[in-house]
Amino acid sequence: MFRRAPRSGLAPATPRKRLLPGPVRAGTRDSFWKMPSRRFADGEVVMGRWPGSVLYYEVQVTNYDDVSHLYTVKYKDGTELALKESDIRSQSSFKHRKSQSSSSSPSRRSTSRSRSRSPGRPGKGRRRSSSQSREHRDDKKKVIQETNLDLLKPSENNTRRYNGEPDSTERNDTSRVISEQKLKPDLQIERVIEQYSLRPRKEEKKKEEVYSEKKVFETIKTIEKASSKTKDLEFGGRIGTFTLIFFLPAAVFYLLLMCKQDDPSLMNFPPPLPPLESLWETRVFGVFLLWFFLQALFYLLPVGKVVEGLPLSNGRKLHYRINGFYAFVLTAAVIGTLLYFQFELHYLYDHFMQFAVSAAAFSMVLSIYLYIRSLKAPQEELAPGGNSGYFIYDFFTGHELNPRIGSFDLKYFCELRPGLMGWVVINLAMLLAEMKIQNQSTPSLSMILVNSFQLLYVVDALWNEEAVLTTMDITHDGFGFMLAFGDLVWVPFVYSLQAFYLVGHPTAISWPVAAAITILNCIGYYIFRSANCQKNNFRRNPGDPKLAYLKFIPTATGKGLLVTGWWGFVRHPNYLGDIIMALAWSLPCGFNHILPYFYVIYFICLLVHREARDEHHCKQKETQVATLTVQVQDG
C-alpha cells in the first residue's frame, strides 16, 4: 500500500551489547556477526502493518528477538504483536514533511510582493515550477493517506464504528465512515492535523486538502454502489434455492405426518398421504389470519420504548418499537380468556396439518408480494445478500432489506411475533390434547419439561427483543421466502415437534432423570444468555466501563473481535448454549425414535452454516475495505 521509505530516514541501529558467555564454539562467532542488522531501536515510534490487512497504524517498538528476527510492537490500544521487519515502516514514510524548496524559494524571499496578493499565490504571470507542483501533489496524497489511516484506526473506541457483529452487520464499515465524513468534514480535518502535527501554512492549501478528502470519500462511495450486486450466491445458488422452495414445505409435512403414525420410524417411509381435499379448510385459514392480524394490532400499540437500529448503507437508522413482551402478556390474557369460556384449544391438534398448510400458503403469498414491491425499491434499500439479479435467488433470500408499510416493519414483526408466540400456543394446545387423549388429569412430566423449557426460551427472546436488531436476519438478509416461511411455518410447526410427538407417544421419565435434564437446560441457557449479553452490550457501547474486563482485537473493518469472556473460550458460545438447550428439549421424549431429535440435528447444521456465513461476510468486508483503501490511495 505504501512505498518503502528511503534508508536515510530511519533511526540508526542500536549497538550490540550481547556477550557470549564462556568459550565460543567454532562457528558461533561467525554466525553471530553474520546476523542481519537491526533497523529499528527499542522505544522508536514507527508504523506497523496490521496482520492480514494493508493498513498501517502507529506503534512503538518494545523488543527485538535476535533469533526469530521479529519486532515486538505495541499499538495505542495496548495490543502487542510480533511483526516482521518488512511489515514495519518509518514514520517519515507517512508524516507530512515541510518542503525544502518552498522555504528557499526566491519568490518567498522577495520583498517586492504586492500586499494585496495572497502570500501563497505565485506572482502574476509566473508559473509554478514542476518540482513544486509535484511536491504539492505528493503533499496532498500524504494528507489523504493519513486521513484514511486515521479513520480506520483501531485504538479509538467509537461506538458508531463498533456498533455491529462480526459476525457483519452492515454492508461494510466504509459506508459509516462516508456518512460521518460528509457530516463533519471540517472536524475530521482538524483531528488529523492535530494528531499528526500538520501545520499547512497556506489557507488555500487547506481548502485543497478538504476538497481532496471529499473526493476520496466520494470515490469510495461510487465504488461501493458499483459493487452492490450480490456475486457470491449461497444455498446452492439458483438451483439450490429453487429446490429449497419445494423441499422445505415437503419436509414440514413429512415430519408432521410421521408424528401422527403409531410407529414413527424412518423405516416406515413414505407415510400414508391424506386426501388432498382434507389438507385445506377455509375456517382454519380464517383462524390463522385472525391470529396474524391480532399480533399485528399488538405490534402497533404505542407501548414500549422506541430504539434505533444499526446504520444502513446510506447512514440512516430505522426506528423500532420494542413491545414484544407486552404483546406476549396480552396474548396470554386472550388465551386465558378463551380457556375460561371453555374454548377447546386442542382444536389446534385436531387440525394441525391444515394450520401448517394455511401458514405455508400465506407465507408464499406474502413472499410474492414482497418481491413485487421490492422491484420499485431504491437501490440503497436492497439487501446486500439478495441483489443478484436472478429472480429465483432474490425471491428466496429476499430482495428488499427492510420492507415497510408506513412505520410497520414486516420483517421485524414476523421475526418474533406470530411464529414465536404461536410456538408457545401450539405447545399449550398439545399439553391439553395429551391430557384429553391419554385420559390424564395432569400433563406428563415429559410434556411439562418440554413446555417449560421452550416457554423460557420464547420469553427470554421477547424480553431481550432489542438484541435481535444486531442479528444477521435484520442487518444482512432481505425479507423473502426464506425468512417468511421460516418465521411463519418452520418455527411454530417444527420447533413444537417434541410436544406434538408426546401427544401420541407418551414417555414416562423419573424425577432424577427430569432433574438431570433440567440442570442440562439451565447450563445451556446460562451460556446462551451470558454470551449474548456480552456480545450485544459490546456492540452497543464498547466503551462501557462495565465491559472494561473484556479484551478485544481491532480488525481492519474498524470493529472489535472479543477474545476474552465467553468469546475467548469458544468462537460462538451462544451457538453452544443453543445446542445444549436443544438437546435438553429432546431428551424428555426418550430414545425410542430419532424423530424428536430432528430439531437437534437440524439446529447443529443450521448453526454450522450460520457460522460459515458469519466468517465469509467478515472476510468479505475486510477484503472490500482494504481494496477500497488501496484503490483510493493509488487513484
Side-chain angles (χ1 to χ4, degrees):
M1 184 173 87
F2 299 103
R3 295 183 178 88
R4 181 179 294 275
R7 190 66 179 162
S8 59
L10 302 175
T14 56
R16 302 187 181 274
K17 298 181 180 180
R18 178 179 175 180
L19 298 178
L20 295 177
V24 180
R25 293 191 301 267
T28 304
R29 187 182 304 274
D30 294 338
S31 61
F32 173 77
W33 291 114
K34 289 181 181 179
M35 291 176 58
S37 59
R38 178 177 177 179
R39 295 178 55 188
F40 305 102
D42 292 346
E44 183 177 355
V45 179
V46 294
M47 306 300 290
R49 186 173 69 87
W50 184 257
S53 71
V54 295
L55 305 178
Y56 283 77
Y57 306 107
E58 188 175 295
V59 298
Q60 185 178 21
V61 178
T62 60
N63 191 19
Y64 177 75
D65 192 342
D66 294 329
V67 179
S68 62
H69 310 310
L70 294 178
Y71 288 88
T72 301
V73 298
K74 185 176 183 180
Y75 291 79
K76 284 190 174 182
D77 64 341
T79 304
E80 291 189 359
L81 294 176
L83 298 181
K84 298 179 181 179
E85 189 174 281
S86 58
D87 293 334
I88 303 176
R89 305 292 174 88
S90 63
Q91 284 191 318
S92 60
S93 302
F94 299 86
K95 292 276 186 174
H96 176 72
R97 293 176 293 187
K98 293 183 179 182
S99 173
Q100 297 271 346
S101 59
S102 59
S103 59
S104 59
S105 173
S107 62
R108 188 171 302 278
R109 294 194 301 266
S110 175
T111 58
S112 61
R113 189 178 298 158
S114 172
R115 292 174 180 250
S116 62
R117 186 179 298 125
S118 174
R121 189 179 304 166
K124 190 173 182 180
R126 183 184 303 170
R127 297 187 61 181
R128 185 178 298 175
S129 66
S130 59
S131 61
Q132 286 179 321
S133 300
R134 184 167 55 254
E135 181 182 344
H136 186 65
R137 286 195 300 268
D138 293 341
D139 291 341
K140 289 201 298 181
K141 187 172 182 180
K142 290 175 182 175
V143 173
I144 295 172
Q145 291 175 347
E146 293 162 6
T147 304
N148 193 36
L149 176 65
D150 183 68
L151 290 172
L152 296 176
K153 204 161 234 182
S155 59
E156 297 177 1
N157 286 333
N158 191 334
T159 303
R160 294 181 182 176
R161 189 172 302 166
Y162 284 92
N163 202 6
E165 178 102 29
D167 222 169
S168 79
T169 56
E170 297 84 23
R171 194 172 297 179
N172 56 50
D173 281 10
T174 308
S175 59
R176 293 209 303 275
V177 176
I178 297 169
S179 61
E180 293 177 7
Q181 179 68 13
K182 291 179 66 177
L183 293 174
K184 302 179 181 180
D186 295 334
L187 294 178
Q188 195 62 262
I189 296 297
E190 292 176 2
R191 187 161 67 90
V192 174
I193 293 175
E194 180 180 357
Q195 182 162 358
Y196 289 94
S197 301
L198 300 178
R199 294 292 184 267
R201 291 168 294 181
K202 310 302 176 188
E203 189 64 27
E204 290 186 359
K205 186 173 183 179
K206 182 176 180 180
K207 293 180 180 180
E208 290 177 0
E209 292 169 359
V210 174
Y211 172 77
S212 300
E213 290 176 0
K214 289 183 178 179
K215 188 175 181 180
V216 169
F217 288 98
E218 289 176 359
T219 305
I220 296 179
K221 188 173 182 180
T222 304
I223 297 174
E224 183 190 31
K225 285 187 175 180
S227 60
S228 60
K229 283 288 185 181
T230 305
K231 298 179 180 180
D232 297 329
L233 304 185
E234 300 176 301
F235 307 103
R238 289 176 287 176
I239 298 177
T241 52
F242 179 79
T243 304
L244 288 174
I245 292 176
F246 298 95
F247 173 77
L248 292 176
V252 174
F253 299 146
Y254 168 76
L255 293 172
L256 299 184
L257 288 174
M258 289 296 296
C259 278
K260 276 284 192 177
Q261 304 304 310
D262 294 334
D263 182 17
S265 174
L266 295 179
M267 304 301 295
N268 296 332
F269 179 85
L273 299 178
L276 292 179
E277 58 272 12
S278 66
L279 296 177
W280 179 263
E281 186 175 329
T282 306
R283 181 184 177 184
V284 172
F285 185 72
V287 174
F288 176 83
L289 290 180
L290 179 62
W291 167 260
F292 184 87
F293 289 110
L294 177 66
Q295 294 302 321
L297 176 63
F298 291 161
Y299 173 79
L300 293 174
L301 292 178
V303 294
K305 62 180 180 179
V306 177
V307 301
E308 289 183 340
L310 297 181
L312 304 176
S313 60
N314 55 6
R316 189 166 62 99
K317 294 182 180 181
L318 298 178
H319 292 82
Y320 300 88
R321 183 172 293 278
I322 307 299
N323 60 2
F325 187 78
Y326 298 102
F328 178 79
V329 173
L330 293 175
T331 301
V334 171
I335 298 299
T337 303
L338 293 178
L339 293 176
Y340 177 80
F341 288 101
Q342 298 182 348
F343 179 81
E344 297 291 341
L345 196 60
H346 65 80
Y347 176 84
L348 280 170
Y349 174 78
D350 298 334
H351 299 82
F352 199 50
M353 183 65 71
Q354 295 171 341
F355 273 105
V357 172
S358 299
F362 182 83
S363 64
M364 177 60 72
V365 174
L366 177 62
S367 302
I368 295 174
Y369 162 76
L370 291 170
Y371 183 78
I372 293 176
R373 64 163 282 158
S374 69
L375 298 178
K376 298 181 180 180
Q379 182 74 17
E380 62 270 13
E381 295 183 6
L382 300 181
N387 189 23
S388 66
Y390 302 120
F391 161 69
I392 293 296
Y393 185 84
D394 294 343
F395 172 81
F396 179 82
T397 57
H399 195 41
E400 189 175 0
L401 183 60
N402 299 290
R404 289 192 164 200
I405 302 177
S407 61
F408 188 87
D409 193 294
L410 292 170
K411 181 172 68 171
Y412 177 69
F413 165 71
C414 292
E415 188 76 14
L416 293 179
R417 308 306 178 94
L420 209 64
M421 296 186 193
W423 177 12
V424 175
V425 175
I426 290 174
N427 278 353
L428 179 61
M430 297 305 163
L431 183 146
L432 298 175
E434 182 200 43
M435 296 173 58
K436 180 179 180 180
I437 294 176
Q438 304 297 334
N439 295 322
Q440 299 174 351
S441 58
T442 58
S444 65
L445 185 56
S446 299
M447 183 67 78
I448 292 176
L449 290 181
V450 170
N451 271 258
S452 301
F453 294 163
Q454 297 180 354
L455 175 64
L456 172 64
Y457 187 83
V458 172
V459 172
D460 175 85
L462 295 172
W463 181 262
N464 299 280
E465 181 182 8
E466 187 176 351
V468 78
L469 299 178
T470 61
T471 60
M472 183 183 295
D473 291 350
I474 300 298
T475 61
H476 180 269
D477 294 335
F479 194 33
F481 180 82
M482 178 180 66
L483 288 183
F485 184 86
D487 294 337
L488 302 178
V489 183
W490 192 268
V491 169
F493 294 97
V494 174
Y495 286 18
S496 60
L497 197 62
Q498 291 92 351
F500 187 44
Y501 171 85
L502 288 174
V503 174
H505 310 85
T507 303
I509 59 175
S510 62
W511 282 101
V513 173
I517 296 174
T518 303
I519 293 175
L520 180 65
N521 185 80
C522 291
I523 293 174
Y525 175 76
Y526 174 74
I527 297 174
F528 169 79
R529 176 44 46 209
S530 57
N532 273 325
C533 285
Q534 286 182 0
K535 177 191 68 174
N536 295 324
N537 292 336
F538 181 77
R539 286 176 178 176
R540 289 292 178 186
N541 185 13
D544 190 347
K546 297 180 181 179
L547 305 177
Y549 67 97
L550 293 177
K551 295 182 180 180
F552 64 92
I553 297 176
T555 65
T557 59
K559 298 181 182 180
L561 184 66
L562 288 174
V563 294
T564 58
W566 282 110
W567 298 86
F569 176 72
V570 63
R571 186 65 192 93
H572 289 281
N574 52 340
Y575 293 174
L576 175 63
D578 245 334
I579 293 174
I580 294 176
M581 285 190 294
L583 178 61
W585 300 350
S586 302
L587 288 175
C589 300
F591 301 97
N592 293 329
H593 299 95
I594 197 175
L595 192 61
Y597 293 86
F598 169 81
Y599 176 77
V600 184
I601 300 172
Y602 150 76
F603 209 58
I604 292 175
C605 297
L606 171 69
L607 295 183
V608 169
H609 179 258
R610 176 64 64 89
E611 191 275 340
R613 293 183 70 198
D614 288 343
E615 297 298 328
H616 174 73
H617 293 151
C618 288
K619 291 180 180 179
Q620 192 177 35
K621 288 196 295 184
E622 181 174 349
T623 302
Q624 189 173 12
V625 171
T627 303
L628 292 175
T629 305
V630 173
Q631 287 178 349
V632 171
Q633 292 174 346
D634 291 345

